[in-house]
Amino acid sequence: MVRPYGDTTGDGMVQLSFTLPLPHDKRAEGAALQLAGSMGLEPAMLVHAKGMGPDFTFFVVYGRVNHLVDVSAVQVVEREYPLLSAKDVNQALRSRLRRKLVVVGACIGTDAHTVGIDAILNVKGFAGEKGLEYYREIRVVNLGAQVLVPELVDRAGAERADAVLVSQVVTQRDAHLTNTCEMSAAFREAFPAARRPLLVVGGPRFDESMTAALGVDRIFGRGTTPAEVASYLVHALAKGSP
Amino acid sequence: MPAGSRPRTKLDLDPAVVRTARALARRAGRPVVKLARSHTTVSVERATLRLAGLEGADSDGIPWVNRLVDAVRADAGLEHGVALPVWHAMGTGEHADLVQLAQKAAAGSVTFRVPEGAAAGKAGRAARRDVGRGITRIDRRRKERERLIARIGDPPQRPWIYLIVATGDIYEDIPQARAAAREGADVVAVIRSTGQSLLDYVPEGATREGYAGTYATQENFRLMRAALDDVSRELGRYVRLTNYASGLCMPEMATMAGLERLDMMLNDSMYGILFRDINPIRTFVDQRFSRQVHARAGIIINTGEDNYLTTADAVDEAHTVTVSQLLNEFFAKEAGLEDWQLGLGHAFEINPDLPDSFRLELAHAMLARELFPAAPLKWMPPTKHMTGDVFRGYLLDGFFNLVGAMTGQGILLVGMMTEAVVTPWLSDRDLALQNVRYVLGAAGKLHEDFRPEAGGFIAGRARQVLGEAVELLEKINRDVTHPIPLLGAIADGTFGITRRPADRGKGLDGVVRRADGYVNPAIDILDLSPNVGMGRPGAKRSVTGSPRAN
C-alpha cells in the first residue's frame, strides 16, 4: 500500500489544475475548493486562481488525498517475449523464415504525425536504438503519413507483408481508436485468417490491454523502442500467430 | 570588397558565400519554373473558372468547376486550357451563365471544342474579360485590407502572435477565434480537416463536420474573415486570418483566399511532394499559380521548413531548412512575391538533452534572420521533444520564445505545453500567451545588446550550416542524370529518406502538358504583375543589410 508523496512518506499530497466556466471571484474560488473536496482532497489549498477573460477561471490546487494505492492489485501488460539484440533478431529470422521479414508501416487516417512510425522504422531509430530498416533481415516499406486504409491493405498484399505497423498520434475525438478498428476490420476482410499479416499499432495514448477490442495483435504505448518491436515480431512469428 | 566597407552584421557571413547560395538556388529553380510554365493542371484550370465567378456544387457536392473542367477535358482535352472551349461555348448565347453551362455539361448536353482563328480570338477576349473581373475583385480586397489596417492599426509589437483554432465546426471556430484574438492573437490560423489536402475538389458551403480541423471552403473563409473584422474593430488592431494553400487544390485555395481577403496562406514549394506524396510536377505547376495569386492579393505566405526538422534530426539536417528557404525564396520571387510576403519557416526542434542545444537553436535562427533580413520569418515551436511532461514543455516553450525575441522573428506560432497530449485547452492557451508576453516584455529588446562573439560558437555554427547548404545545392545541381536536376534530387531522396520520382505520386493524372495555343487569361494577367520573372539576376538585393535591425 502506498500514498502519493509530497515531501514526507505517507503525506498523500497531490497537485491539480483545472478551469471552471465561472468569472473569477470568491464564489468561483469556493467552487474550486468544493470540486477538490469532492475529488478527495482534504484539506485542499487553493494556491492560484486567475481569470481568463470574463467567463473562465483557472485554478491550481494542492491537497492531501486519503486514498490508498494497492500495488498488488495493479494490472499491467508485462512484456511477454524476451528482448533480443539486433544480431539475435537477424539470426532468428534467418533460421526461421529463410527470407527477409517484410514490414509495412504507415500513419493512417488524417494523422500526419510520422514521428512514431519513423522512430521505429527509420535507420535513425529512437532512444539510441537503430530502427527496423537497420536490421539486415527485415525489409521495411514505410508508406508515411495519411495513408488510406484500402491503400495500406493493397500495399501489404502486394509486398507480402508479414507485419503491418500503424502509428497513431492524433487522438481528437478518439480518432486513433476508430482508425485502428477500421484498419483491423479491413485486413480481416481482405485476408484469410492464416495469411493475414500481424497487425501492430502504436501511439502515446493507446491502452496496451485493448488488443481484442481493437482487433489487433499487439499495441505499443509511449516510449516503445525499435528493439522491442523487432523482438515482438520474432516472438509472434515463432508462435505461428496470427 | 575590402573588409570594413560593408556594414558588419551579427554573424559576419561572407557575402560571396551568400551570393553563391542564392545563385545555386536560382540555378536549381529555373528549369522547374520552365516546367511549370509548360504544363497546366486540373486545379489551375478550376481556379481560372473560379476567378470568372463560377461557384457552387451539384447535388452530390461536386463543385461546378470540377464538373466543367472534367467535361471540357473529356471532349477537347486540357492542352489548350479550359478558357477557349468554355468561352467559345458561352459565345453561342445558349447558356445564361457558367453555372448553367456546367449543369448542361454535366448532363452531357454540351460538346466542347477548341475554337480556331477569329472564333478563338473572340473566345479569348471574352474569357479575359470575365476572368479579369475576378482579378479585379482580388485587387479590391487587397485595397480593402490596406484601408482597414490604416484605419484600425497593426499589432503594436513584432513578432505577431499566431494562434491555431481547430474544432471542425466553423460555427464553433468563430467564437474560439474571437476569444483567441481577445487573448492576444494577431494571427488566427484555422487548421484544415487534414484529409482535405488529398481531396481533388474544394468542398462547398459552411461546414460543421471536420476531422482534426475544419474544411477550407470559400463560405467558411468568408464567415471567419467577417467575424475577425468585427473583433479587429473592437480590439483596435487588424487580426489576420490564415489558411492553407497546399495539397491538390492549391491554386483554388489561393484564389478563394484572395477573393475573401485572407491574409496569410501556408504555401511551401516542396512540402506536398515530400510529406504528402503529391506528384512533383503537379506541385510545382500548382505552386506557381498559387504564388502568383498570393503576390497579387497581398497575401503573406508561410513556408513549411519546420517539417524537415520534425521528421529528421534538427542538427544534422539544419542545412536542409536553409536550402528549402532559399528555394522557397526563389520560387516566391519568381512568382512576384515581395520580401515582406515571405514568411519563411523554421523551428525550434533540437533535442534539449543535447549539449549547447540552445546555442545551436540561436545560431540557426540568426542565420535565417541574416540571410533573409527583410522577410517576416515564421518561427515554429517545439513539437518533437515535447514529451508529455507539461512542466518541462513550458520551460522549453519559454526558451523558444526567447530565441524568437533575440532574433527578431516576424511571426511566432505560440507553443503549447500540452503539445502531443491534447488539443489545446483554454488554460493551455492562456498559459502559453503568458509565457510569450513575459519573454517579449522581459527580453524583447535583447537583440539590441546581443551580438555573438565573431569567432565564437554561434557564428561558427551559422557559417557551418550555410556551408552545408551550399554543398547540398551544389550536389542538387550536379545531378546530370535528370534533365531537371531538382526533380532528380527529389526522386533520389536527397531531401530526407523519401524518394519522390516525377512520374509518381498523387494528382499526376491531373497534369497536362500545354499545347502551343494554350490560353489561360488568369496567367496572362498575373504574368504582367510587376515583379514576376526569373529571379531577376540583375536586380539589386540586400544580402547582408539588416533593415529589421535584429
Side-chain angles (χ1 to χ4, degrees), chain B residues 248-505:
Chain B
L248 290 171
C249 293
M250 198 190 296
E252 294 169 89
M253 291 294 167
T255 302
M256 287 164 20
L259 292 170
E260 300 300 339
R261 191 173 27 90
L262 267 61
D263 308 282
M264 290 189 188
M265 293 296 272
L266 275 79
N267 186 230
D268 191 88
S269 62
M270 295 193 296
Y271 170 78
I273 304 169
L274 298 175
F275 298 98
R276 289 279 191 266
D277 196 16
I278 294 176
N279 174 259
I281 302 173
R282 171 82 180 246
T283 297
F284 284 123
V285 177
D286 284 351
Q287 183 226 186
R288 183 168 191 272
F289 186 96
S290 67
R291 288 192 173 189
Q292 287 194 291
V293 173
H294 290 144
R296 185 83 178 204
I299 287 172
I300 295 170
I301 62 165
N302 290 189
T303 58
E305 282 80 3
D306 52 302
N307 294 287
Y308 291 90
L309 302 184
T310 51
T311 50
D313 186 272
V315 176
D316 296 346
E317 301 301 322
H319 63 290
T320 62
V321 168
T322 307
V323 167
S324 174
Q325 288 168 337
L326 287 162
L327 290 170
N328 264 313
E329 180 194 46
F330 167 75
F331 288 125
K333 294 206 161 178
E334 192 283 325
L337 287 154
E338 297 179 56
D339 280 316
W340 66 270
Q341 291 176 291
L342 305 186
L344 298 172
H346 56 152
F348 188 96
E349 292 283 15
I350 296 173
N351 183 351
D353 293 334
L354 209 65
D356 295 316
S357 67
F358 182 79
R359 295 164 92 192
L360 290 165
E361 295 284 10
L362 201 50
H364 298 172
M366 288 190 78
L367 173 62
R369 181 70 284 163
E370 296 216 353
L371 278 179
F372 310 100
L377 301 180
K378 186 181 185 194
W379 185 224
M380 309 279 283
T383 59
K384 195 176 173 181
H385 298 285
M386 296 297 273
T387 57
D389 178 347
V390 294
F391 304 103
R392 186 172 186 263
Y394 197 68
L395 178 62
L396 208 56
D397 280 333
F399 273 53
F400 158 77
N401 292 332
L402 184 56
V403 174
M406 289 174 81
T407 56
Q409 301 294 316
I411 304 160
L412 184 132
L413 199 159
V414 178
M416 296 289 155
M417 65 185 192
T418 47
E419 174 73 37
V421 181
V422 289
T423 47
W425 289 358
L426 185 77
S427 54
D428 297 336
R429 206 151 59 201
D430 189 76
L431 286 163
L433 285 166
Q434 287 186 57
N435 190 331
V436 171
R437 282 200 200 95
Y438 166 66
V439 174
L440 291 186
K445 291 180 182 161
L446 192 55
H447 61 79
E448 292 174 9
D449 311 297
F450 175 71
R451 179 176 285 275
E453 196 65 34
F457 179 87
I458 288 175
R461 174 63 187 167
R463 270 197 303 278
Q464 182 195 350
V465 173
L466 179 60
E468 287 171 7
V470 168
E471 275 172 39
L472 177 56
L473 283 164
E474 278 168 348
K475 187 175 155 207
I476 291 166
N477 282 312
R478 260 202 314 273
D479 188 337
V480 290
T481 56
H482 198 285
I484 300 174
L486 184 57
L487 288 185
I490 291 168
D492 296 344
T494 307
F495 299 91
I497 64 156
T498 41
R499 293 162 182 269
R500 303 296 195 200
D503 59 354
R504 292 250 297 275

Side-chain angles (χ1 to χ4, degrees), chain B residues 50 61 63 196 199 201-205 207 215-218 253 256:
Chain B
R50 286 183 185 274
Q196 185 169 2
L199 293 180
Y201 67 93
V202 182
E204 275 287 323
T207 63
Y215 282 105
T217 73
Q218 191 166 345
M253 291 294 167
M256 287 164 20

